[in-house]
Amino acid sequence: MILFFGTRPGKTETKQLPHVSCPYCEQTGTLIISRTSNWFHIFWIRIFKVSSKKIAECSHCKRTYFENEFTEEMEKGLIQIES
Ligand SMILES: [Zn+2]
């Protein structure tokens, strides 16, 4: 019997970060968070979430921020939209 398992990305969710300013162009409310989750699969059935990856993009200056570049303000905004 062959077992098929592995991880693959789920769908990407995007959310706007309100009241948070972009550290680069200093515009407020322009940051969009994209979150992609990786799922562990066995026979194409989702078993559990392995990890999720977040990036932020500014719709004004088009700058992309990876999770390790998020400012404290962005982290706080994220907690607000996730709760
Ligand atoms: Zn910007």
Side-chain angles (χ1 to χ4, degrees):
M1 189 172 111
I2 304 162
L3 259 180
F4 292 96
F5 63 93
T7 58
R8 26 168 143 169
K11 65 173 190 208
T12 303
E13 296 171 70
T14 55
K15 268 180 188 169
Q16 197 192 359
L17 268 185
H19 320 300
V20 177
S21 56
C22 171
Y24 188 72
C25 68
E26 296 175 343
Q27 295 288 312
T28 304
T30 55
L31 291 165
I32 312 287
I33 298 286
S34 312
R35 183 167 49 188
T36 310
S37 305
N38 268 303
W39 292 79
F40 185 81
H41 285 76
I42 294 177
F43 291 110
W44 306 280
I45 301 159
R46 279 182 179 189
I47 309 297
F48 56 84
K49 202 193 259 188
V50 181
S51 63
S52 67
K53 200 167 57 182
K54 282 185 282 231
I55 56 161
E57 196 192 28
C58 175
S59 59
H60 183 78
C61 65
K62 307 290 174 202
R63 208 184 145 98
T64 304
Y65 299 94
F66 293 99
E67 224 170 331
N68 58 349
E69 300 171 309
F70 286 10
T71 62
E72 206 179 304
E73 200 185 358
M74 288 156 81
E75 298 280 3
K76 276 186 201 152
L78 260 175
I79 294 165
Q80 277 173 14
I81 57 168
E82 280 173 354
S83 57

PDB file of all heavy atoms in Angstrom, residues 15-32 57-61 65 71 73-74 77 80:
ATOM      1  N   LYS A  15      -6.408  40.505   4.331  1.00  0.00           N
ATOM      2  CA  LYS A  15      -7.140  41.389   5.226  1.00  0.00           C
ATOM      3  C   LYS A  15      -6.453  42.741   5.273  1.00  0.00           C
ATOM      4  O   LYS A  15      -5.230  42.811   5.274  1.00  0.00           O
ATOM      5  CB  LYS A  15      -7.130  40.814   6.649  1.00  0.00           C
ATOM      6  CG  LYS A  15      -8.304  39.937   6.961  1.00  0.00           C
ATOM      7  CD  LYS A  15      -8.201  39.438   8.378  1.00  0.00           C
ATOM      8  CE  LYS A  15      -9.270  38.385   8.662  1.00  0.00           C
ATOM      9  NZ  LYS A  15      -9.021  37.713   9.919  1.00  0.00           N
ATOM     10  N   GLN A  16      -7.248  43.771   5.346  1.00  0.00           N
ATOM     11  CA  GLN A  16      -6.666  45.095   5.458  1.00  0.00           C
ATOM     12  C   GLN A  16      -6.373  45.414   6.921  1.00  0.00           C
ATOM     13  O   GLN A  16      -7.118  45.019   7.804  1.00  0.00           O
ATOM     14  CB  GLN A  16      -7.647  46.120   4.902  1.00  0.00           C
ATOM     15  CG  GLN A  16      -6.967  47.432   4.609  1.00  0.00           C
ATOM     16  CD  GLN A  16      -7.951  48.554   4.337  1.00  0.00           C
ATOM     17  OE1 GLN A  16      -9.154  48.343   4.357  1.00  0.00           O
ATOM     18  NE2 GLN A  16      -7.418  49.716   4.085  1.00  0.00           N
ATOM     19  N   LEU A  17      -5.273  46.094   7.148  1.00  0.00           N
ATOM     20  CA  LEU A  17      -4.918  46.519   8.502  1.00  0.00           C
ATOM     21  C   LEU A  17      -5.372  47.964   8.693  1.00  0.00           C
ATOM     22  O   LEU A  17      -4.726  48.878   8.198  1.00  0.00           O
ATOM     23  CB  LEU A  17      -3.405  46.458   8.694  1.00  0.00           C
ATOM     24  CG  LEU A  17      -2.742  45.209   9.250  1.00  0.00           C
ATOM     25  CD1 LEU A  17      -1.271  45.471   9.449  1.00  0.00           C
ATOM     26  CD2 LEU A  17      -3.375  44.765  10.557  1.00  0.00           C
ATOM     27  N   PRO A  18      -6.471  48.177   9.394  1.00  0.00           N
ATOM     28  CA  PRO A  18      -6.925  49.549   9.549  1.00  0.00           C
ATOM     29  C   PRO A  18      -6.110  50.307  10.594  1.00  0.00           C
ATOM     30  O   PRO A  18      -5.601  49.703  11.535  1.00  0.00           O
ATOM     31  CB  PRO A  18      -8.386  49.397   9.989  1.00  0.00           C
ATOM     32  CG  PRO A  18      -8.494  48.024  10.546  1.00  0.00           C
ATOM     33  CD  PRO A  18      -7.308  47.219  10.109  1.00  0.00           C
ATOM     34  N   HIS A  19      -5.995  51.574  10.438  1.00  0.00           N
ATOM     35  CA  HIS A  19      -5.325  52.479  11.393  1.00  0.00           C
ATOM     36  C   HIS A  19      -3.847  52.205  11.597  1.00  0.00           C
ATOM     37  O   HIS A  19      -3.254  52.675  12.560  1.00  0.00           O
ATOM     38  CB  HIS A  19      -6.012  52.483  12.775  1.00  0.00           C
ATOM     39  CG  HIS A  19      -7.501  52.453  12.703  1.00  0.00           C
ATOM     40  ND1 HIS A  19      -8.231  53.443  12.078  1.00  0.00           N
ATOM     41  CD2 HIS A  19      -8.410  51.528  13.133  1.00  0.00           C
ATOM     42  CE1 HIS A  19      -9.521  53.122  12.148  1.00  0.00           C
ATOM     43  NE2 HIS A  19      -9.653  51.965  12.769  1.00  0.00           N
ATOM     44  N   VAL A  20      -3.237  51.425  10.735  1.00  0.00           N
ATOM     45  CA  VAL A  20      -1.811  51.155  10.883  1.00  0.00           C
ATOM     46  C   VAL A  20      -1.095  51.834   9.724  1.00  0.00           C
ATOM     47  O   VAL A  20      -1.532  51.747   8.576  1.00  0.00           O
ATOM     48  CB  VAL A  20      -1.524  49.635  10.891  1.00  0.00           C
ATOM     49  CG1 VAL A  20      -0.035  49.345  10.972  1.00  0.00           C
ATOM     50  CG2 VAL A  20      -2.241  48.960  12.049  1.00  0.00           C
ATOM     51  N   SER A  21       0.006  52.511  10.032  1.00  0.00           N
ATOM     52  CA  SER A  21       0.696  53.213   8.960  1.00  0.00           C
ATOM     53  C   SER A  21       1.875  52.408   8.431  1.00  0.00           C
ATOM     54  O   SER A  21       2.514  51.650   9.157  1.00  0.00           O
ATOM     55  CB  SER A  21       1.145  54.594   9.431  1.00  0.00           C
ATOM     56  OG  SER A  21       1.939  54.465  10.572  1.00  0.00           O
ATOM     57  N   CYS A  22       2.131  52.588   7.165  1.00  0.00           N
ATOM     58  CA  CYS A  22       3.240  51.909   6.505  1.00  0.00           C
ATOM     59  C   CYS A  22       4.541  52.552   6.963  1.00  0.00           C
ATOM     60  O   CYS A  22       4.678  53.772   6.896  1.00  0.00           O
ATOM     61  CB  CYS A  22       3.047  52.054   4.993  1.00  0.00           C
ATOM     62  SG  CYS A  22       4.460  51.499   4.038  1.00  0.00           S
ATOM     63  N   PRO A  23       5.503  51.767   7.430  1.00  0.00           N
ATOM     64  CA  PRO A  23       6.757  52.355   7.919  1.00  0.00           C
ATOM     65  C   PRO A  23       7.569  53.037   6.815  1.00  0.00           C
ATOM     66  O   PRO A  23       8.435  53.846   7.096  1.00  0.00           O
ATOM     67  CB  PRO A  23       7.534  51.171   8.499  1.00  0.00           C
ATOM     68  CG  PRO A  23       6.701  49.971   8.331  1.00  0.00           C
ATOM     69  CD  PRO A  23       5.456  50.317   7.580  1.00  0.00           C
ATOM     70  N   TYR A  24       7.282  52.717   5.578  1.00  0.00           N
ATOM     71  CA  TYR A  24       8.068  53.260   4.472  1.00  0.00           C
ATOM     72  C   TYR A  24       7.483  54.564   3.935  1.00  0.00           C
ATOM     73  O   TYR A  24       8.143  55.585   3.893  1.00  0.00           O
ATOM     74  CB  TYR A  24       8.181  52.206   3.376  1.00  0.00           C
ATOM     75  CG  TYR A  24       9.140  52.591   2.268  1.00  0.00           C
ATOM     76  CD1 TYR A  24      10.523  52.594   2.491  1.00  0.00           C
ATOM     77  CD2 TYR A  24       8.657  52.948   1.019  1.00  0.00           C
ATOM     78  CE1 TYR A  24      11.391  52.965   1.478  1.00  0.00           C
ATOM     79  CE2 TYR A  24       9.524  53.313  -0.001  1.00  0.00           C
ATOM     80  CZ  TYR A  24      10.893  53.324   0.238  1.00  0.00           C
ATOM     81  OH  TYR A  24      11.745  53.682  -0.768  1.00  0.00           O
ATOM     82  N   CYS A  25       6.203  54.544   3.549  1.00  0.00           N
ATOM     83  CA  CYS A  25       5.614  55.751   2.953  1.00  0.00           C
ATOM     84  C   CYS A  25       4.742  56.522   3.937  1.00  0.00           C
ATOM     85  O   CYS A  25       4.248  57.595   3.614  1.00  0.00           O
ATOM     86  CB  CYS A  25       4.829  55.397   1.693  1.00  0.00           C
ATOM     87  SG  CYS A  25       3.334  54.437   2.015  1.00  0.00           S
ATOM     88  N   GLU A  26       4.545  55.961   5.139  1.00  0.00           N
ATOM     89  CA  GLU A  26       3.803  56.618   6.218  1.00  0.00           C
ATOM     90  C   GLU A  26       2.335  56.909   5.909  1.00  0.00           C
ATOM     91  O   GLU A  26       1.724  57.769   6.523  1.00  0.00           O
ATOM     92  CB  GLU A  26       4.553  57.885   6.682  1.00  0.00           C
ATOM     93  CG  GLU A  26       5.895  57.491   7.285  1.00  0.00           C
ATOM     94  CD  GLU A  26       6.762  58.686   7.669  1.00  0.00           C
ATOM     95  OE1 GLU A  26       6.483  59.784   7.189  1.00  0.00           O
ATOM     96  OE2 GLU A  26       7.701  58.483   8.449  1.00  0.00           O
ATOM     97  N   GLN A  27       1.767  56.198   4.962  1.00  0.00           N
ATOM     98  CA  GLN A  27       0.336  56.306   4.698  1.00  0.00           C
ATOM     99  C   GLN A  27      -0.383  55.372   5.662  1.00  0.00           C
ATOM    100  O   GLN A  27       0.114  54.298   5.973  1.00  0.00           O
ATOM    101  CB  GLN A  27       0.022  55.881   3.258  1.00  0.00           C
ATOM    102  CG  GLN A  27       0.627  56.769   2.192  1.00  0.00           C
ATOM    103  CD  GLN A  27      -0.060  58.114   2.100  1.00  0.00           C
ATOM    104  OE1 GLN A  27      -1.277  58.192   2.047  1.00  0.00           O
ATOM    105  NE2 GLN A  27       0.729  59.173   2.113  1.00  0.00           N
ATOM    106  N   THR A  28      -1.568  55.770   6.098  1.00  0.00           N
ATOM    107  CA  THR A  28      -2.310  54.952   7.058  1.00  0.00           C
ATOM    108  C   THR A  28      -3.416  54.156   6.364  1.00  0.00           C
ATOM    109  O   THR A  28      -4.079  54.678   5.477  1.00  0.00           O
ATOM    110  CB  THR A  28      -2.903  55.855   8.161  1.00  0.00           C
ATOM    111  OG1 THR A  28      -1.829  56.585   8.736  1.00  0.00           O
ATOM    112  CG2 THR A  28      -3.582  55.044   9.241  1.00  0.00           C
ATOM    113  N   GLY A  29      -3.554  52.912   6.801  1.00  0.00           N
ATOM    114  CA  GLY A  29      -4.637  52.069   6.282  1.00  0.00           C
ATOM    115  C   GLY A  29      -4.366  51.484   4.912  1.00  0.00           C
ATOM    116  O   GLY A  29      -5.281  51.025   4.232  1.00  0.00           O
ATOM    117  N   THR A  30      -3.109  51.472   4.493  1.00  0.00           N
ATOM    118  CA  THR A  30      -2.786  50.969   3.156  1.00  0.00           C
ATOM    119  C   THR A  30      -2.216  49.552   3.191  1.00  0.00           C
ATOM    120  O   THR A  30      -1.969  48.964   2.147  1.00  0.00           O
ATOM    121  CB  THR A  30      -1.752  51.878   2.456  1.00  0.00           C
ATOM    122  OG1 THR A  30      -0.612  52.000   3.306  1.00  0.00           O
ATOM    123  CG2 THR A  30      -2.311  53.258   2.173  1.00  0.00           C
ATOM    124  N   LEU A  31      -1.994  49.035   4.396  1.00  0.00           N
ATOM    125  CA  LEU A  31      -1.348  47.721   4.497  1.00  0.00           C
ATOM    126  C   LEU A  31      -2.357  46.582   4.379  1.00  0.00           C
ATOM    127  O   LEU A  31      -3.406  46.593   5.023  1.00  0.00           O
ATOM    128  CB  LEU A  31      -0.593  47.608   5.821  1.00  0.00           C
ATOM    129  CG  LEU A  31       0.651  48.500   5.917  1.00  0.00           C
ATOM    130  CD1 LEU A  31       1.117  48.608   7.354  1.00  0.00           C
ATOM    131  CD2 LEU A  31       1.772  47.975   5.052  1.00  0.00           C
ATOM    132  N   ILE A  32      -2.028  45.619   3.548  1.00  0.00           N
ATOM    133  CA  ILE A  32      -2.869  44.440   3.352  1.00  0.00           C
ATOM    134  C   ILE A  32      -2.068  43.226   3.810  1.00  0.00           C
ATOM    135  O   ILE A  32      -0.929  43.024   3.396  1.00  0.00           O
ATOM    136  CB  ILE A  32      -3.223  44.237   1.846  1.00  0.00           C
ATOM    137  CG1 ILE A  32      -3.707  45.535   1.187  1.00  0.00           C
ATOM    138  CG2 ILE A  32      -4.230  43.103   1.661  1.00  0.00           C
ATOM    139  CD1 ILE A  32      -5.081  46.008   1.555  1.00  0.00           C
ATOM    140  N   GLU A  57       1.528  43.839   2.527  1.00  0.00           N
ATOM    141  CA  GLU A  57       1.893  44.630   1.363  1.00  0.00           C
ATOM    142  C   GLU A  57       1.202  45.975   1.457  1.00  0.00           C
ATOM    143  O   GLU A  57       0.038  46.060   1.832  1.00  0.00           O
ATOM    144  CB  GLU A  57       1.484  43.915   0.072  1.00  0.00           C
ATOM    145  CG  GLU A  57       2.201  44.528  -1.118  1.00  0.00           C
ATOM    146  CD  GLU A  57       1.631  44.082  -2.462  1.00  0.00           C
ATOM    147  OE1 GLU A  57       0.430  43.761  -2.538  1.00  0.00           O
ATOM    148  OE2 GLU A  57       2.397  44.068  -3.423  1.00  0.00           O
ATOM    149  N   CYS A  58       1.936  47.008   1.113  1.00  0.00           N
ATOM    150  CA  CYS A  58       1.371  48.345   1.135  1.00  0.00           C
ATOM    151  C   CYS A  58       0.781  48.637  -0.240  1.00  0.00           C
ATOM    152  O   CYS A  58       1.466  48.495  -1.252  1.00  0.00           O
ATOM    153  CB  CYS A  58       2.443  49.355   1.486  1.00  0.00           C
ATOM    154  SG  CYS A  58       1.845  51.033   1.394  1.00  0.00           S
ATOM    155  N   SER A  59      -0.488  49.027  -0.249  1.00  0.00           N
ATOM    156  CA  SER A  59      -1.132  49.299  -1.539  1.00  0.00           C
ATOM    157  C   SER A  59      -0.731  50.662  -2.090  1.00  0.00           C
ATOM    158  O   SER A  59      -1.032  50.989  -3.221  1.00  0.00           O
ATOM    159  CB  SER A  59      -2.654  49.191  -1.410  1.00  0.00           C
ATOM    160  OG  SER A  59      -3.116  50.111  -0.451  1.00  0.00           O
ATOM    161  N   HIS A  60      -0.057  51.444  -1.276  1.00  0.00           N
ATOM    162  CA  HIS A  60       0.370  52.768  -1.734  1.00  0.00           C
ATOM    163  C   HIS A  60       1.763  52.724  -2.379  1.00  0.00           C
ATOM    164  O   HIS A  60       1.920  53.081  -3.523  1.00  0.00           O
ATOM    165  CB  HIS A  60       0.341  53.755  -0.564  1.00  0.00           C
ATOM    166  CG  HIS A  60       0.706  55.146  -0.960  1.00  0.00           C
ATOM    167  ND1 HIS A  60      -0.178  55.988  -1.592  1.00  0.00           N
ATOM    168  CD2 HIS A  60       1.862  55.822  -0.837  1.00  0.00           C
ATOM    169  CE1 HIS A  60       0.425  57.135  -1.843  1.00  0.00           C
ATOM    170  NE2 HIS A  60       1.666  57.066  -1.394  1.00  0.00           N
ATOM    171  N   CYS A  61       2.755  52.236  -1.638  1.00  0.00           N
ATOM    172  CA  CYS A  61       4.123  52.226  -2.182  1.00  0.00           C
ATOM    173  C   CYS A  61       4.530  50.856  -2.718  1.00  0.00           C
ATOM    174  O   CYS A  61       5.634  50.694  -3.225  1.00  0.00           O
ATOM    175  CB  CYS A  61       5.128  52.708  -1.133  1.00  0.00           C
ATOM    176  SG  CYS A  61       5.274  51.607   0.297  1.00  0.00           S
ATOM    177  N   TYR A  65       6.368  43.457   3.175  1.00  0.00           N
ATOM    178  CA  TYR A  65       7.026  43.185   4.453  1.00  0.00           C
ATOM    179  C   TYR A  65       6.822  41.729   4.826  1.00  0.00           C
ATOM    180  O   TYR A  65       5.695  41.246   4.800  1.00  0.00           O
ATOM    181  CB  TYR A  65       6.420  44.046   5.567  1.00  0.00           C
ATOM    182  CG  TYR A  65       6.574  45.523   5.314  1.00  0.00           C
ATOM    183  CD1 TYR A  65       5.555  46.238   4.689  1.00  0.00           C
ATOM    184  CD2 TYR A  65       7.729  46.189   5.691  1.00  0.00           C
ATOM    185  CE1 TYR A  65       5.702  47.590   4.425  1.00  0.00           C
ATOM    186  CE2 TYR A  65       7.877  47.538   5.438  1.00  0.00           C
ATOM    187  CZ  TYR A  65       6.862  48.238   4.806  1.00  0.00           C
ATOM    188  OH  TYR A  65       7.004  49.562   4.551  1.00  0.00           O
ATOM    189  N   THR A  71       6.415  45.807  12.074  1.00  0.00           N
ATOM    190  CA  THR A  71       6.646  46.733  13.180  1.00  0.00           C
ATOM    191  C   THR A  71       5.695  46.388  14.323  1.00  0.00           C
ATOM    192  O   THR A  71       4.743  45.625  14.148  1.00  0.00           O
ATOM    193  CB  THR A  71       6.378  48.184  12.742  1.00  0.00           C
ATOM    194  OG1 THR A  71       4.999  48.288  12.368  1.00  0.00           O
ATOM    195  CG2 THR A  71       7.256  48.610  11.575  1.00  0.00           C
ATOM    196  N   GLU A  73       3.545  48.263  15.637  1.00  0.00           N
ATOM    197  CA  GLU A  73       2.222  48.770  15.280  1.00  0.00           C
ATOM    198  C   GLU A  73       1.470  47.762  14.399  1.00  0.00           C
ATOM    199  O   GLU A  73       0.274  47.534  14.567  1.00  0.00           O
ATOM    200  CB  GLU A  73       2.413  50.089  14.525  1.00  0.00           C
ATOM    201  CG  GLU A  73       1.183  50.959  14.501  1.00  0.00           C
ATOM    202  CD  GLU A  73       1.383  52.204  13.641  1.00  0.00           C
ATOM    203  OE1 GLU A  73       2.486  52.409  13.088  1.00  0.00           O
ATOM    204  OE2 GLU A  73       0.405  52.953  13.519  1.00  0.00           O
ATOM    205  N   MET A  74       2.183  47.168  13.471  1.00  0.00           N
ATOM    206  CA  MET A  74       1.566  46.164  12.599  1.00  0.00           C
ATOM    207  C   MET A  74       1.148  44.932  13.391  1.00  0.00           C
ATOM    208  O   MET A  74       0.071  44.367  13.164  1.00  0.00           O
ATOM    209  CB  MET A  74       2.542  45.773  11.474  1.00  0.00           C
ATOM    210  CG  MET A  74       2.704  46.869  10.433  1.00  0.00           C
ATOM    211  SD  MET A  74       4.261  46.758   9.538  1.00  0.00           S
ATOM    212  CE  MET A  74       3.882  45.520   8.333  1.00  0.00           C
ATOM    213  N   GLY A  77      -2.003  45.740  15.246  1.00  0.00           N
ATOM    214  CA  GLY A  77      -3.124  45.775  14.311  1.00  0.00           C
ATOM    215  C   GLY A  77      -3.581  44.377  13.952  1.00  0.00           C
ATOM    216  O   GLY A  77      -4.776  44.106  13.830  1.00  0.00           O
ATOM    217  N   GLN A  80      -5.652  42.812  16.643  1.00  0.00           N
ATOM    218  CA  GLN A  80      -7.002  43.369  16.606  1.00  0.00           C
ATOM    219  C   GLN A  80      -7.877  42.723  15.540  1.00  0.00           C
ATOM    220  O   GLN A  80      -9.037  42.417  15.806  1.00  0.00           O
ATOM    221  CB  GLN A  80      -6.945  44.880  16.354  1.00  0.00           C
ATOM    222  CG  GLN A  80      -6.698  45.662  17.620  1.00  0.00           C
ATOM    223  CD  GLN A  80      -6.474  47.143  17.338  1.00  0.00           C
ATOM    224  OE1 GLN A  80      -6.757  47.623  16.233  1.00  0.00           O
ATOM    225  NE2 GLN A  80      -5.951  47.845  18.300  1.00  0.00           N
TER     226      GLN A  80
END
